[in-house]
Amino acid sequence: MRPIRIGIIGFGKIAREQHVPSIAGYPRFELAATGSRGGNGQPGVPCFADHRAMIRDAELDAVAICTPPSVRYEIARDCLEAGLHCLLEKPPGVSLGEVEELARIAGAREMTLFTTWHTQANPAVGAAAKLLAGERIASMEVIWHEDVRKWHPGQDWIWEPGGFGVFDPGINALSIVAQILPGALFVRDAELTYPANKQSPIAAELSFASPASDGALTASFDWRHSGGEAWTIDIRTEAGRHVRLLDGGGRLEVDGAPRPVEGAGEYPALYGQFLDLIDERRSHVDLRPLRLVADAFLVGRRTATEPFED
Ligand code: NAP
């Protein structure tokens, strides 16, 4: 069978660390091009400074778009219109409207559009969803605290409008919560803390409502946390079960005891799903995490804090 020739557009941290090895793990994919404006692609693979030249000359079947989200829509639209299947890094865009438009284009052309949420691909997340199905939720506490200097060194785009600020990691937590909570989730209240010199928040405190719960549902995102990450989701059911996801969805505890789960790993699982979607010429478009972030900005109160210098 002819390999699926795939290009990676936006060749930064996540492209190098996760996409390249995951693509290499599937013989059905061939990494045929990289896109980097500065020519910093993968050694031995043709590199294009402009995605339109890549579309024209690289004879691709598919692309993975790993740029910052603010430029993803135009690139993805050009790729879909050229007949290329598209995998989008998270978040899939900077507005719900542009991702909905991409889904429409993909549907009309019978191309695959895959909005990935890598933390959802953890097997512990699927196991937690099964445990919580049909339950009433007594409480949920999400803690997503990390050091922005450690995880986003020199990434100025995250502070710009459309850069998401602390929601760049926080949306990972929301993608898990959207997947495992047995019912719809709405943002009720949001306190957004902005450094005086930045356009995006450095911290956010959220509270939610859900038809599956009468209890407190909260999330705390904070980028001012040095000395190790805290990426945990604690959920207690009215029936008395305690479901805890740790390490960003990588580990599951049930009633205080570790619950081992096995799987391919986040990015290998995503590329396996991408292959299935391409084979079936289907799309998978999950807007729930982006909608929760958009709603947090809609209902949020803004407070200012001291300027942030990288
Ligand atoms: P990054 O290291 O800044 O890489 C993004 C790359 O995109 C840059 O190397 C840059 O390459 C290119 N780029 C930047 N601005 C561009 C523009 N205006 N137009 C076209 N290309 C542009 O960022 P990253 O950490 O890899 O994150 C990229 C995406 O992956 C984000 O949406 C992020 O949320 C997601 N993600 C990141 C991580 C992580 O741990 N870092 C984890 C999961 C998901 P050139 O300058 O060479 O063109």
Side-chain angles (χ1 to χ4, degrees), residues 24-247:
Y26 285 94
R28 283 196 58 203
F29 281 122
E30 176 189 346
L31 181 60
T34 52
S36 161
R37 297 163 306 170
N40 301 312
Q42 177 76 355
V45 176
C47 182
F48 295 83
D50 172 46
H51 74 273
R52 292 189 184 89
M54 183 198 262
I55 292 170
R56 192 181 60 231
D57 297 336
E59 296 179 9
L60 297 176
D61 304 298
V63 288
I65 304 177
C66 304
T67 62
S70 59
V71 291
R72 211 162 277 154
Y73 167 73
E74 282 80 5
I75 296 171
R77 186 195 58 207
D78 290 345
C79 290
L80 288 169
E81 287 181 344
L84 307 186
H85 305 290
C86 285
L87 178 153
L88 305 183
E89 248 303 345
K90 52 72 42 172
V94 286
S95 74
L96 293 162
E98 60 184 28
V99 187
E100 284 171 348
E101 173 63 2
L102 292 176
R104 188 195 64 73
I105 297 169
R109 292 178 171 262
E110 296 186 6
M111 307 306 303
T112 293
L113 178 68
F114 183 18
T115 61
T116 62
W117 300 101
H118 62 92
T119 38
Q120 278 182 353
N122 276 296
V125 171
K130 280 197 188 123
L131 286 165
L132 295 171
E135 298 287 334
R136 285 207 53 82
I137 302 303
S139 66
M140 175 183 81
E141 184 185 20
V142 177
I143 304 283
W144 226 254
H145 293 179
E146 63 181 45
D147 182 354
V148 64
R149 290 189 173 88
K150 173 177 174 186
W151 289 96
H152 298 275
Q155 292 183 349
D156 294 335
W157 60 264
I158 54 174
W159 296 110
E160 295 300 320
F164 285 72
V166 77
F167 286 101
D168 180 82
I171 203 169
N172 295 334
L174 296 175
S175 77
I176 294 176
V177 162
Q179 191 79 347
I180 68 177
L181 216 77
L185 191 67
F186 312 110
V187 182
R188 268 289 148 77
D189 188 58
E191 180 91 39
L192 310 174
T193 304
Y194 287 71
N197 58 342
K198 299 293 183 195
Q199 294 293 326
S200 293
I202 196 166
E205 299 292 322
L206 311 181
S207 63
F208 305 92
S210 169
S213 178
D214 299 312
L217 310 173
T218 62
S220 172
F221 303 152
D222 205 320
W223 253 347
R224 300 165 294 187
H225 192 74
S226 53
E229 300 69 53
W231 293 321
T232 59
I233 297 175
D234 268 273
I235 296 181
R236 292 176 189 274
T237 68
E238 287 188 359
R241 178 165 265 180
H242 183 193
V243 174
R244 192 157 194 249
L245 284 165
L246 303 102
D247 298 346

